[in-house]
Amino acid sequence: MLMNREKSVLLIIDVQAKLAPFIHDKDAVEANCVWLAQVAERLGVPIVVTEHFPDKIGATLDSVRAVTGGAQYVGKQCFSAQADGCLASTAVADCRQVVMCGTEAHVCVQQTALDLRWAGKEVFIVAEAAGSRDPANRDLAFARMRSHGIEIVSREMVAFEWLQRGGTELFREVNRDFIR
């Protein structure tokens, strides 16, 4: 199945200040989350951001917060945002497709993705924008999620599928500003 921007929401999971320094390849994960948020914003895809115990783990990183001004922010206590119930009043509830990124891939990202999949959503994890402290845990999470029908994709797959076609002004803008 292809990702469609009219059916999609971008869900950014727990990219928080006190956890981020411990994530393997943290700078790339952060930069790719920012990139996805900027592309989503340009294409009119709604964005939802979760924060797990923000009083303990810190707020969303400033770089992500700076590009998600129009996003819905929700706090959570369960590892799975779906199980926590905090997504019920967000764009996630209204969209068929959920494109996900964030941390940690083997905990909050995976548990949320599995719960969303079992709730009937089409779920896509952006590989280079999902991280864990230990890359082995990230890889195991990707394999497990894939075995449950969750698609593991790249950020460019997301952008080009959301665009659907070349030759438009929107394609030229995204290509110029984001595709390198």
Side-chain angles (χ1 to χ4, degrees):
M1 77 198 96
L2 293 175
M3 291 168 275
N4 181 307
R5 72 177 182 252
E6 295 171 4
K7 298 176 184 174
S8 291
V9 60
L10 176 63
L11 179 58
I12 301 173
I13 301 286
D14 305 348
V15 183
Q16 293 172 255
K18 292 183 182 175
L19 175 60
F22 302 101
I23 300 300
H24 175 76
D25 207 8
K26 64 181 171 45
D27 293 337
V29 171
E30 177 182 352
N32 287 315
C33 288
V34 167
W35 188 92
L36 283 165
Q38 290 174 313
V39 170
E41 179 74 23
R42 180 75 56 94
L43 297 177
V45 173
I47 302 169
V48 176
V49 180
T50 69
E51 295 178 322
H52 188 77
F53 283 106
D55 56 321
K56 295 180 177 140
I57 303 176
T60 298
L61 292 176
D62 290 341
S63 61
V64 175
R65 192 168 282 283
V67 296
T68 56
Q72 294 173 281
Y73 275 74
V74 294
K76 65 184 185 68
Q77 295 181 358
C78 293
F79 296 124
S80 167
Q82 178 72 1
D84 198 87
C86 65
L87 300 177
S89 61
T90 71
V92 173
D94 301 328
C95 293
R96 178 181 173 101
Q97 298 181 338
V98 184
V99 176
M100 295 178 60
C101 61
T103 59
E104 282 191 83
H106 68 293
V107 186
C108 297
V109 172
Q110 176 180 253
Q111 289 186 32
T112 301
L114 290 170
D115 278 345
L116 287 168
R117 181 72 184 106
W118 295 125
K121 302 288 185 182
E122 296 171 8
V123 181
F124 304 86
I125 307 297
V126 184
E128 64 267 52
S132 293
R133 289 165 289 139
D134 181 344
N137 280 327
R138 182 193 109 135
D139 294 345
L140 286 169
F142 287 174
R144 183 174 180 206
M145 288 186 283
R146 192 177 282 121
S147 75
H148 288 278
I150 295 165
E151 303 273 345
I152 310 300
V153 299
S154 73
R155 69 184 204 167
E156 284 200 10
M157 288 177 182
V158 175
F160 284 111
E161 288 179 32
W162 279 350
L163 282 165
Q164 294 180 329
R165 65 179 63 233
T168 66
E169 184 56 35
L170 188 56
F171 168 79
R172 284 187 284 282
E173 285 177 29
V174 170
N175 192 47
R176 177 192 67 227
D177 296 343
F178 300 106
I179 309 298
R180 295 175 173 84

